[in-house]
Amino acid sequence: MSDARILKVLRDLQSRGRRPVVVEIPSGDPQVEPGDEAGELGLRLWRAERDAMRFALRDSGVPVVRHVVGESLDLAPAPLLSGRIGGRGRAG
């Protein structure tokens, strides 16, 4: 989520009839020393950029789900399974 070029790639996938889903794997916030004003401002900017990317992805129709550390990765998209997320159904 740190590279805005991913939006173009995901939009390209959507234009080809695919339904991408982004699984955000938390890496933790950068560490800032107490009292480091420049570091604190940088951290706020970093968080704002991540929020903006989440918004842009969702605004483009790409669901963003978060992986919970310690849980199996396949549980992250589970909330999306309550509705159809696209693609072809299984035959049978």
Side-chain angles (χ1 to χ4, degrees):
M1 295 209 0
S2 61
D3 191 338
R5 293 177 292 181
I6 193 67
L7 285 171
K8 183 180 181 313
V9 171
L10 294 172
R11 287 181 182 142
D12 182 53
L13 285 170
Q14 287 177 313
S15 72
R16 297 172 188 227
R18 303 292 183 212
R19 300 291 307 257
V21 173
V22 171
V23 177
E24 183 178 0
I25 299 175
S27 60
D29 290 348
Q31 297 297 312
V32 176
E33 295 293 323
D36 179 1
E37 291 181 27
E40 290 171 6
L41 289 173
L43 180 58
R44 287 177 54 198
L45 179 60
W46 182 83
R47 288 176 176 159
E49 287 175 347
R50 290 181 66 88
D51 289 342
M53 177 62 82
R54 280 187 211 97
F55 176 82
L57 288 165
R58 290 179 177 133
D59 192 51
S60 294
V62 177
V64 178
V65 294
R66 184 175 283 222
H67 170 64
V68 177
V69 177
E71 288 187 1
S72 176
L73 186 58
D74 61 347
L75 292 178
L80 300 174
L81 298 177
S82 62
R84 184 179 169 99
I85 60 171
R88 287 184 248 182
R90 293 185 184 179

